[in-house]
Amino acid sequence: MNGAHSLVKTFLKNGVDTVFANPGTSEMHFVAALDDHPEMNCVLCLFEGGTTGAADGYYRMKRDVAGTLLHLAPGFGNAFANLHNARKAGSGVVNVVGDHATHHLRYESPLKGDIQGISDAVSHWTRLSGDAASIAADGAAAIQASRAQNGQIATLVLPADTAWNEVNLSVLPLAGEQALHRPSQQEIEAAAQRLKTEGAALLIGDSALFGSLRTLAGKIAAATGCRLMADTLIPRISKGAGTAKLDQLVYAVEPKIAQLVGTSSITLIGADRPVAFFAYPDKPSVPEPAGCAIAQLCARTDDIEWTLTALADAVGVTNKTQMVSVSLDLPDIPSGQITLEKVGQALAALIPENAIVCNEAVTSGHKILPLIGKARPHEMLAGTGGAIGLCLPCATGAAIAAPERKVIALTGDGSAMYTLQSLWTMARENLDVTVIVFANRGYQILRNELTNVGVAQVGKNAQAMFDVENPTLDWVSLAKGHGVPATRAEDIGSFVKALRAGLSEAGPSLIEVDCPIQAA
Amino acid sequence: MNGAHSLVKTFLKNGVDTVFANPGTSEMHFVAALDDHPEMNCVLCLFEGGTTGAADGYYRMKRDVAGTLLHLAPGFGNAFANLHNARKAGSGVVNVVGDHATHHLRYESPLKGDIQGISDAVSHWTRLSGDAASIAADGAAAIQASRAQNGQIATLVLPADTAWNEVNLSVLPLAGEQALHRPSQQEIEAAAQRLKTEGAALLIGDSALFGSLRTLAGKIAAATGCRLMADTLIPRISKGAGTAKLDQLVYAVEPKIAQLVGTSSITLIGADRPVAFFAYPDKPSVPEPAGCAIAQLCARTDDIEWTLTALADAVGVTNKTQMVSVSLDLPDIPSGQITLEKVGQALAALIPENAIVCNEAVTSGHKILPLIGKARPHEMLAGTGGAIGLCLPCATGAAIAAPERKVIALTGDGSAMYTLQSLWTMARENLDVTVIVFANRGYQILRNELTNVGVAQVGKNAQAMFDVENPTLDWVSLAKGHGVPATRAEDIGSFVKALRAGLSEAGPSLIEVDCPIQAA
């Protein structure tokens, strides 16, 4: 057995059976080893941003790690932005990055680069494997690191000779588990008291935002009278009917500040303190009122389930505690001309129960999302690190992790262009994803931001950098080019028809919604 | 005036008047400043790999730097692979990367990341600007760094407050020039002697490979009897009729070794020593025979023009020295079924004088390039860092740097997918680029490399990672989606017709050449 085979066997033994891959020559022995294990699911992405965004989406739904296979420092570079997003989402990912053979690294070959340096800039854990005998143990350590702290970025650099040299392994290493930090009983008691005071908010994140923990958080809010909240960008959240009512912070600074007026304390469970997305001249970086206490009971990397359970006990949640939940309210199917509001209504009416909605619709989303809050119960995944180009890869990974669920991807045209290659992977894997591209023909958010910095008039150069026009992107052709059937919705009737078709048929489809920028 | 304006004025004052941009919110004040200077040419790229690849292509043709405008660490990540290529090409690039305002960096905002860390992994020079008053001087220093050593990667990180705060500048800073290292007269004399001995090779790189210095190198070869050579991947090289005859090293290791049999010494001017692209079990990392002397007379970062001129004097080159040059030999236009050989013949017959050919055709290129060696004089730009996805951005930048010249981009389908967004920039800027996509429906080079590592049979997982099939990419639709007219060449007649049309009309076009993988 060579080092590459020992690594693949270690991955499989530890339950890592999916790899999003964009390999090159230095990974050939690893590819050959994968080839000997058809039980490993290898998903080809035609650009590395697709691999790491898919691994992120996979982790969000599966709550376990997938691997990526990347080619030296430039391959890691292409993967970087979506690793940044995954890191901010708290998703675990195991990257395997091929490098030149150890003896070749002394020469200035074309692909020689600083893999350790670029990996250190985004990974929680990086290790350069030293020889073939170490690689199985290094792989197990990488898996352990990726699962630690509720999910981390772990990067294993694999010089080609560590893959091709022979090893003699009788026992395959197992990735150990690390215990998560838990708050003290005194901290739990203090939080229980604080949540009962006027103006108290409980801001939850990570696994507290969906499934049974979300319900538990809702009951804590009911038992204490506190306000249940969440930050703006969150990796996975339950939405729609039956979910515990929750106020989510908005993106823009002033409305965010307005949302928190009167808040006396923010208790954080599984979340960081809320901050402004960007800094602006004469606007604060943090939105809470002066004197508001910020208390982190449990970080995203701590034991969230234990903390919520202990807190529920401390505040007297029982089987009889009734949480305030969202009621179902489905609008009628709209008709006539297409507008973002009508698209939102149509989505609200048609989102199927248990759907996964990946949202990177940026400005268009601001108009649509409020309308689908009372739809059938579903989960929403959003960009967490602010690096656009997550949506299509994330939808790809989510669909692979949860093949029994419908995936709806809502994306701006500007965002989708960063990683449009994921459309091909959706077609190749026949993934059940309905992609909706809101084609406003520009980086609309940047127009808004230019106004925010006090520029009233947009000149030649700013317009050249904000508009995606002359030529207009033709998403029906782009989708077709990648093998995904597509429709341009000319009116809301054709949108509804295409959405129904996308949701009822297996496999990917794309709907282009023409929503050009309107004068402010 | 604010810091952003002082930086834009400093760029213009120092002759940097082209910026390939993909901005975000943290760069809004810089965008507003660019907007006040319509003499700055801002070229929007819909993905950051397009910006840095274009800046590389621009430098290769203009021999001066363009700027890029990038958005925090993830934007730099997307730009990384083509910066790696630019670094290996010896191209100068000035990156401006927006960061959060200094006071905002203490908070865990979504886009906070390690810009310094990722920049250090590929840039020669990185500086984080500390305040608005420093930024003009920092900008001049960045330009100086990018022009030093015949071209470097310089990255200026611009916290938003350094852009928006007011400054009071009366004098704009000028980027200084740094003298390049020159070899000693003794080294010149020793090289002159060495080149006259049997088996001597002169391996030239960088600016010695095109224009008048290439001719000078050809005359040195004629005067000494040495063999004139170049490495495999070079940023810019004169090709075709009238250029000094030169032997270029091939990609694969064994043929590369065979090319150097009998070589007693390799004198390097403007080039590094040749090495194998990748390491393989039981193959050497360096191709020269045992005992062959490697003498670096002048590094890529040294004074190449001075060195060649001094060497020409030392070996007795006069106005009468006749170099051996390539003679014009245009094949007939082929007809019938399409093959790579016929595509090469058609290109050889039709490449116009002074064209710029960007080559990233990888495996298809191996069959085509030998056929166009005796075409009309042209220049060829190739990937230098081994990170595929350079061709379309590089062609974009070259076309902007040299608008009077025809650009032909030869790319594999696998390579083109990494940065296909550059097609849109070609359409937006109406660039005179004819793109030829060799659609072999896979990463053919990886199939070859798997064979190289001894795997005879390709199984399910390897096939899934090498083939770009099921579905087949439709390049005519992909081009149309980006606003570029395109043709699928079904036979060589339609290829010739489309090539003639592309070369005779202004603006971009794309030709898809269907060349599926043939059984080995």
Side-chain angles (χ1 to χ4, degrees), chain A residues 216-228 315 317 321-324:
Chain A
L216 193 56
K219 290 185 175 180
I220 292 169
T224 59
C226 78
R227 183 183 185 196
L228 192 62
V315 301
V317 167
T321 308
Q322 293 288 318
M323 68 172 182
V324 182

Side-chain angles (χ1 to χ4, degrees), chain A residues 353-371:
Chain A
E353 188 161 335
N354 214 25
I356 300 164
V357 179
C358 291
N359 172 42
E360 196 174 55
V362 198
T363 43
S364 302
H366 294 174
K367 294 196 176 164
I368 290 164
L369 298 191
L371 296 163

Side-chain angles (χ1 to χ4, degrees), chain A residues 9 14 41 60 91 129 199 235 277 284 288 293 301 306 328 370 379 395 404 434-435 496 512 519:
Chain A
K9 286 178 189 293
N14 284 289
N41 184 20
R60 294 185 194 199
S91 293
S129 219
F277 203 93
E288 74 276 5
T301 50
W306 183 91
L328 187 70
E379 291 187 310
E404 72 290 357
T434 303
V435 178
V496 167
E512 176 179 331

Side-chain angles (χ1 to χ4, degrees), chain B residues 153-476:
Chain B
I153 312 300
T155 300
L156 179 62
V157 183
L158 187 65
D161 54 333
T162 66
W164 76 50
N165 282 337
E166 289 297 304
V167 294
N168 196 348
L169 279 184
S170 51
V171 180
L172 289 165
L174 285 176
E177 274 187 46
Q178 289 174 330
L180 296 171
H181 174 77
R182 294 172 175 179
S184 67
Q185 199 57 42
Q186 289 97 310
E187 289 172 296
I188 296 284
E189 294 296 338
Q193 287 307 313
R194 197 187 315 116
L195 292 174
K196 290 173 185 166
T197 59
E198 178 147 349
L202 173 60
L203 192 144
I204 57 176
D206 203 81
S207 56
L209 281 169
F210 58 88
S212 59
L213 295 190
R214 168 73 171 274
T215 301
L216 194 55
K219 290 185 175 179
I220 292 169
T224 58
C226 78
R227 183 181 183 197
L228 191 62
M229 302 196 77
D231 208 340
T232 310
L233 299 180
I234 38 193
R236 179 176 174 186
I237 187 168
S238 291
K239 293 262 188 185
T243 54
K245 189 176 169 299
L246 169 148
D247 294 334
Q248 200 174 344
L249 289 171
V250 297
Y251 170 83
V253 179
E254 282 95 346
K256 203 194 288 269
I257 291 171
Q259 283 180 290
L260 290 174
V261 168
T263 306
S264 61
S265 69
I266 302 176
T267 299
L268 302 165
I269 295 183
D272 289 323
R273 72 181 292 183
V275 299
F277 204 93
F278 291 105
Y280 302 89
D282 310 320
K283 292 185 191 177
S285 283
V286 289
E288 75 275 6
C292 173
I294 306 283
Q296 187 154 49
L297 181 62
C298 166
R300 196 200 57 70
T301 50
D302 295 343
D303 194 335
I304 297 168
E305 181 172 1
W306 183 92
T307 304
L308 277 173
T309 308
L311 184 61
D313 286 348
V315 302
V317 168
T318 67
N319 285 342
K320 292 180 186 160
T321 307
Q322 292 288 317
M323 68 173 182
V324 182
S325 63
V326 176
S327 54
L328 186 71
D329 183 6
L330 301 182
D332 294 334
I333 301 279
S335 62
Q337 282 196 324
I338 197 161
T339 64
L340 290 176
E341 288 73 12
K342 289 184 192 172
V343 168
Q345 285 169 32
L347 278 165
L350 294 174
I351 288 174
E353 188 160 335
N354 214 25
I356 300 165
V357 179
C358 291
N359 172 43
E360 196 174 56
V362 198
T363 43
S364 301
H366 293 175
K367 293 196 177 164
I368 290 164
L369 298 191
L371 296 164
I372 63 177
K374 296 182 174 183
R376 294 178 191 86
H378 60 279
E379 290 187 311
M380 185 165 291
L381 320 182
T384 48
I388 53 178
L390 174 70
C391 183
L392 300 179
C394 184
T396 301
I400 285 173
E404 72 290 356
R405 298 172 69 170
K406 288 279 170 191
V407 179
I408 300 172
L410 309 176
T411 177
D413 49 356
S415 329
M417 279 304 288
Y418 285 75
T419 48
L420 74 165
Q421 304 93 339
S422 288
L423 292 171
W424 181 83
T425 303
M426 291 178 190
R428 154 76 73 97
E429 303 288 331
N430 197 35
L431 302 179
D432 206 354
V433 184
T434 303
V435 179
I436 302 172
V437 178
F438 294 96
N440 63 13
R441 315 302 177 195
Y443 297 112
Q444 176 60 16
I445 194 167
L446 297 188
R447 278 182 175 267
N448 301 348
E449 295 286 10
L450 196 71
T451 311
N452 279 341
V453 307
V455 177
Q457 195 73 30
V458 175
K460 181 198 89 154
N461 273 334
Q463 188 162 332
M465 290 189 280
F466 296 165
D467 288 356
V468 183
E469 284 192 327
N470 305 313
T472 296
L473 290 165
D474 165 2
W475 280 96
V476 174

Side-chain angles (χ1 to χ4, degrees), chain A residues 124-146:
Chain A
H124 296 88
W125 182 100
T126 302
R127 185 178 294 175
L128 177 72
S129 219
D131 53 41
S134 317
I135 209 165
D138 290 339
I143 293 166
Q144 179 177 28
S146 70

